[in-house]
Structures are given as C-alpha cells and as structure tokens.
Amino acid sequence: MAVTNIVQHAPKDYKSNLKPIWCPGCGDFGVLNALYKAMSICNLDPDNTVIVSGIGCSSRLPGFVATYGFHGVHGRVLPVATGIKVARPELNVIAVGGDGDGYSIGGGHLPHAARRNPDITYLVMNNNTYGLTKGQVSPTSMVPLASVQAKLDPKRWKTTPYGMFEEPLNPIAMAIAYDVSFVARGFSYKPNQLTDLLVQAIQHKGFALIDTFSPCPTFNQDQTDDFYKDHTYDVPEDHDPTDRVRAFELALRTDGFPIGVIYKHENKHSMIEEQAALKRRFPQDTPPSLETVFKKYH
Ligand code: SF4
Ligand code: MG
C-alpha cells in the first residue's frame, strides 16, 4: 500500500462532506468509523487511495470518504477494483459492499480475485439480508429469517412469505477454500477490534477479505446486534492462521462465529507482481492517452 511519510492524517481527514444516509442504528456507521481510523493508522494518502463499491446500502460508503471513489454496478466490485490495481498498482485500493452484492451476483468473482491475489482489501458488510431493496433473503440469510417458524411475518419478509429453505453460505470457509490470502471476520459493534483487523488487512500484501457482521435493524430483526453479540467469540489466542486445516476447523464450528484473523497465506504469488515483471521483460511504447482511446470509439 502507498503510505505517505509527509503528512499524518487524522481519522476526520478521511471524512467527506457527505453525511451517511443510513438508517439510525445501521451497523455500517461503525464500519465506516473503523475504516476512517484504520486509514489514519496506516496513514493512507487520500490522493492515492480509491474506494470501490458495488450496489447496496453499504456500497454507498465511497461517497462518505474523502478519497477517490467508484460506485460501480451490482456485484462487480472485484473486477473494477482489480482493474484499477492493474492500471495503477501504486494506488491503495479498498473494495466494499454487502453480502448480497459480494456473495450472490458477485460471488463468481471471489475465487478469481483469490487466484490473482491483487493487493486489495475487500470489506464486506454482512447483515444477512438485502437492505437496500427492503429485506429479501440474501446468500448469508439464516433460518429462521423469513422462515417456517411461528414468527413468520409475510409483511416483514414479503418476497419469501412461505419461508426460506436454503442453507446460508459460509463466506469464511468459502474464502479459505479459495485460498484468499487473508481472511478475517469483524463485527461493527466491536470497533477497536474491527479497526485492528482493517489495519492488518490493509497492510497485508495480497487480497484480503474481511467479512464484517453489520446489523440491519430496519429489515433484519433476527440477526440483531444482540444476536451477533451472543453468537460470536474471539478467535482463540493459540489459533495459528497460517495452518489452513485449523482455519477450516474454526470456520466450520457450529457453536458460533469466530471474530478475528482466521486464515493467512503469507507470501502468496501475486498477479500484480507478475505483471510488473512482464512489463520489465517486454517493455512497450507508452500507452495511448485516454483522449486517444475515447476518440477511437466516438
Ligand atoms: Fe442499514 Fe438496513 Fe437501513 Fe440499509 S436498510 S441503511 S442496511 S439499517
Ligand atoms: Mg446485505
């Protein structure tokens, strides 16, 4: 990551003039504050940082940060972020979005980002529902969300009035299977821990995924902040994240959700480094200017 040594930026320096328009109590506020702090600790230069998002409540985040931003299309945050990193490897690239955006329509991009291992931090705000479109079940929705249980409320879960029968995805186990080179889980109501995880992810050399529980109090009254508090525990101190088998065991535990760094593949090969080596081997003419490219298609 490109770190400036000249000016120390405080967390408030990363705030844009736009005020977040999330609902009161939305977990994304805590995630955003942790991100401001982590960027300050890493002293990221706002002029050399870009935040990329997909579509959803959490994907509004780039507008609230005083860096460059790209609010893309649904599920395409990783291809866009990878493209930016390939074109401008010196930039700090942080990708953000929700569980619907990242694990449903965008889910097919995750294994390929893992294979390419670009130096990108991917922060998923996981509220186990689609918030922006008013509370449909998402790939991480848990039974009894919109479920067959007595609390079925067709007004609340209007797109699945007869229940939700699919098992939720386990994004942590999935990321370990894909060999994402840094896999962690955070919780927006544990801001200091989340800040620390973000710092580690930003400083990690390679593709880092932080799946962060971020409650949606407006549309998910099952996975509330209390639910997450009751069903999460810190990664045990003696856990070795470089042990992939142990990381899988932790990810597959059924007695709750571990919070912390779960898996790390240090020194994993990176496409970006390979690309730099190729450029040295096959030097080419200066690429055409943007204007020249645009004229070609005008
Ligand atoms: Fe947050 Fe849910 Fe409101 Fe969206 S709908 S802003 S996720 S609380
Ligand atoms: Mg969501």
Side-chain angles (χ1 to χ4, degrees):
M1 290 276 171
V3 174
T4 174
N5 292 320
I6 304 164
V7 184
Q8 178 66 50
H9 299 278
K12 66 176 174 45
D13 297 335
Y14 295 95
K15 290 188 182 180
S16 75
N17 294 328
L18 280 182
K19 288 229 176 316
I21 53 167
W22 294 312
C23 310
C26 177
D28 295 353
F29 285 104
V31 178
L32 179 62
N33 280 329
L35 183 62
Y36 290 143
K37 284 187 198 152
M39 292 171 86
S40 169
I41 292 168
C42 295
N43 203 19
L44 300 191
D45 179 356
D47 290 343
N48 277 309
T49 301
V50 57
I51 309 215
V52 187
S53 70
I55 295 293
C57 291
S58 52
S59 285
R60 292 175 169 144
L61 187 143
F64 312 135
V65 187
T67 61
Y68 289 96
F70 192 110
H71 193 168
V73 292
H74 201 22
R76 306 301 171 224
V77 60
L78 289 178
V80 173
T82 305
I84 292 170
K85 193 70 190 174
V86 168
R88 296 284 305 277
E90 76 281 12
L91 297 183
N92 309 304
V93 182
I94 298 173
V96 300
D99 45 305
D101 188 77
Y103 303 141
S104 187
I105 188 168
H109 295 298
L110 199 56
H112 305 291
R115 289 168 56 225
R116 293 169 184 140
N117 197 31
D119 194 6
I120 290 172
T121 300
Y122 184 27
L123 170 59
V124 176
M125 285 157 265
N126 183 356
N127 53 19
N128 310 94
T129 186
Y130 282 96
L132 187 71
T133 45
K134 304 196 186 306
Q136 294 84 3
V137 292
S138 85
T140 57
S141 292
M142 301 178 206
V143 175
L145 181 74
S147 78
V148 291
Q149 312 255 332
K151 63 192 299 191
L152 176 67
D153 176 353
K155 283 193 203 121
R156 230 171 77 199
W157 309 116
K158 46 190 172 284
T159 59
T160 45
Y162 300 106
M164 193 274 286
F165 307 102
E166 297 101 329
E167 285 294 317
L169 284 181
N170 180 335
I172 301 295
M174 202 166 73
I176 298 167
Y178 292 154
D179 196 27
V180 172
S181 61
F182 180 100
V183 182
R185 175 167 261 149
F187 176 31
S188 61
Y189 277 66
K190 289 190 167 182
N192 293 339
Q193 196 178 23
L194 180 56
T195 302
D196 178 55
L197 291 173
L198 278 163
V199 168
Q200 291 188 59
I202 289 169
Q203 291 175 342
H204 171 72
K205 199 106 188 70
F207 180 52
L209 170 74
I210 304 189
D211 181 273
T212 301
F213 287 138
S214 182
C216 170
T218 304
F219 291 112
N220 186 349
Q221 275 96 50
D222 288 327
Q223 277 74 53
T224 60
D225 53 319
D226 282 340
F227 171 90
Y228 293 124
K229 279 175 200 155
D230 291 345
H231 291 81
T232 55
Y233 58 90
D234 288 344
V235 166
E237 276 179 19
D238 61 354
H239 174 64
D240 174 8
T242 63
D243 184 330
R244 198 173 184 189
V245 174
R246 292 270 172 271
F248 259 125
E249 281 174 6
L250 198 54
L252 295 174
R253 267 171 65 168
T254 52
D255 58 345
F257 303 98
I259 303 286
V261 179
I262 297 163
Y263 177 62
K264 264 202 265 190
H265 182 160
E266 304 275 22
N267 305 316
K268 183 177 173 180
H269 172 83
S270 165
M271 174 196 76
I272 306 292
E273 281 162 13
E274 190 67 26
Q275 185 199 31
L278 275 178
K279 275 186 177 166
R280 283 193 298 275
R281 257 182 86 199
F282 302 104
Q284 294 184 347
D285 296 339
T286 315
S289 69
L290 265 187
E291 286 72 20
T292 316
V293 176
F294 285 154
K295 267 186 199 147
K296 202 171 148 190
Y297 296 99
H298 197 256

